[in-house]
Amino acid sequence: MKKASENISRVNPPVPPPAAEIATRKIEAIRSVDIKNDSLLLTLYNNGEIDGDTVSVLLNGKVIMPKEGLKATANKTIYLTPELGDPVVLSMYAESPGSIPPNSGLLVIPDGNDVDEI
């Protein structure tokens, strides 16, 4: 007797958007910085062992660097225009801690002769 073959469809669970739970997390203000230039170069690093940490960066609540894996550096230039308002708020959101918690993401922002590390 032959067995009837079954059609099995696998449904992948939905992938949450970047910074999906930001509204439920405690926001910690690290520092306020006065910006001298009209643009910023944002650079992400893993400030520990490279173990699969992932972060997202938000500008005024909008994701500008989604789910960046911290294997090497990741860069993004943002231009400070009047439409962004004042103050401009940058947030770094830990997506995953990698295999060795906690998430050790580092956001570096050079501005003229100053360099801010967050």
Side-chain angles (χ1 to χ4, degrees):
M1 179 183 262
K2 293 183 179 179
K3 283 189 172 182
S5 64
E6 295 180 32
N7 289 330
I8 299 174
S9 64
R10 295 180 186 213
V11 177
N12 293 328
V15 176
E21 298 176 4
I22 196 161
T24 64
R25 292 199 183 170
K26 179 183 172 191
I27 305 295
E28 182 181 344
I30 303 294
R31 72 175 57 98
S32 294
V33 178
D34 289 323
I35 304 300
K36 299 172 191 78
N37 294 323
D38 63 354
S39 64
L40 296 175
L41 174 63
L42 308 179
T43 304
L44 291 170
Y45 295 96
N46 190 320
N47 197 31
E49 190 171 328
I50 295 176
D51 64 333
D53 296 347
T54 305
V55 300
S56 292
V57 176
L58 295 86
L59 175 68
N60 291 345
K62 181 180 175 188
V63 176
I64 60 170
M65 296 177 81
K67 296 186 179 184
E68 292 285 344
L70 301 179
K71 294 179 183 172
T73 62
N75 298 303
K76 177 151 185 97
T77 300
I78 59 171
Y79 297 94
L80 304 175
T81 61
E83 295 83 33
L84 290 176
D86 189 20
V88 172
V89 178
L90 281 173
S91 303
M92 185 168 61
Y93 177 94
E95 296 281 358
S96 74
S99 61
I100 307 170
N103 186 301
S104 55
L106 175 67
L107 177 61
V108 177
I109 307 169
D111 182 36
N113 293 328
D114 299 326
V115 176
D116 290 290
E117 295 182 352
I118 302 168

